[in-house]
Amino acid sequence: MIHLHCYYSLSSPWAYFGGPRLASLCQAYPVRLELRPFDFQAVVPHTGGIPLRTRPEARQTYHALELARWSQRLNMPINLVPRFYRKQGAPSDWNKRPGWTVIAAQQAGLDAQALSQALLRALWAEERDTADEAVRVEIADGLGMPGAELVAAEQSDAVQSAYRAYGEDARSIGVFGSPTYVIEAERFWGQDRLDFVEAYLKKLKHD
């Protein structure tokens, strides 16, 4: 079994774009996927990343252009300025909360990847506030998961310890962007590197 770790933020449009293909790769190859949501704003300044809201205007406008291009390429809808994306970062944990829900689902042995993608789609394509626990409950319930139980578990020691550990691991291995896929200490940054991820999986499968 090949272990694949996905370090990302639940506010990342690139994680949203990469989700369907990541799921397909995990079905096509003998992969055990572990989603590792982490505190992007706390970690990436130490590894060379720059949060979007602090980038120069030229880079922010190009970011929007690339999102539009990938939306068209992948045939995945996106709102370039989603209503509930907090550019000012308030409250400070707005994009941590859905990550905690994903970790709770993963620890419960549920389909965390499906929940993660639904939460990302809700933020980027459906204009839903994933920082609102009622929204997270509704999304999880819609997937046949116990939404209230998952949200209640978000503040558990197990979930919070995992979230901190994922952040520490991300910093120690040099994660500077979301999503970053890691296989056997090999890093692949960005959903546009999934071709390289697949090539690496093929190599490991045949070795």
Side-chain angles (χ1 to χ4, degrees):
M1 185 66 68
I2 302 168
H3 294 271
L4 193 164
H5 297 160
C6 178
Y7 293 89
Y8 71 114
S9 166
L10 267 290
S11 60
S12 169
W14 308 111
Y16 162 61
F17 283 150
R21 187 171 181 195
L22 177 62
S24 295
L25 290 176
C26 291
Q27 292 176 352
Y29 295 90
V31 168
R32 175 172 292 176
L33 173 66
E34 182 173 54
L35 298 176
R36 294 192 164 194
F38 72 100
D39 189 342
F40 187 87
Q41 283 73 23
V43 171
V44 299
H46 299 282
T47 52
I50 305 173
L52 178 62
R53 66 177 181 273
T54 65
R55 296 174 192 170
E57 183 179 358
R59 292 193 62 180
Q60 292 195 37
T61 56
Y62 189 77
H63 179 268
L65 179 61
E66 284 284 89
L67 288 179
R69 288 170 175 162
W70 278 103
S71 174
Q72 183 175 15
R73 169 69 64 85
L74 298 173
N75 194 28
M76 294 177 65
I78 192 169
N79 295 308
L80 296 180
V81 186
R83 180 180 177 188
F84 294 106
Y85 183 93
R86 273 82 162 177
K87 282 193 173 182
Q88 302 308 315
S92 61
D93 64 354
W94 74 273
N95 60 348
K96 302 177 188 178
R97 299 174 190 176
W100 299 337
T101 316
V102 168
I103 294 171
Q106 188 163 250
Q107 291 181 346
L110 301 173
D111 190 347
Q113 169 62 15
L115 178 59
S116 174
Q117 190 63 19
L119 288 164
L120 288 163
R121 183 172 59 249
L123 175 64
W124 286 100
E126 298 172 352
E127 300 287 46
R128 300 171 73 184
D129 186 3
T130 56
D132 184 337
E133 69 176 37
V135 171
R136 299 196 300 282
V137 168
E138 183 178 8
I139 290 171
D141 285 348
L143 294 171
M145 300 181 186
E149 292 179 20
L150 294 178
V151 169
E154 291 174 358
Q155 295 300 325
S156 67
D157 288 343
V159 168
Q160 292 298 314
S161 294
Y163 189 73
R164 288 192 298 271
Y166 295 158
E168 292 167 2
D169 289 346
R171 181 172 176 176
S172 68
I173 65 177
V175 170
F176 54 83
S178 170
T180 295
Y181 313 103
V182 179
I183 308 170
E184 295 189 338
E186 189 86 4
R187 292 172 296 161
F188 304 86
W189 169 46
Q191 59 86 25
D192 54 344
R193 301 304 193 274
L194 284 169
D195 283 346
F196 293 118
V197 170
E198 181 166 19
Y200 199 73
L201 291 174
K202 285 181 180 178
K203 175 180 179 297
L204 292 177
K205 183 180 179 181
H206 295 296
D207 281 352

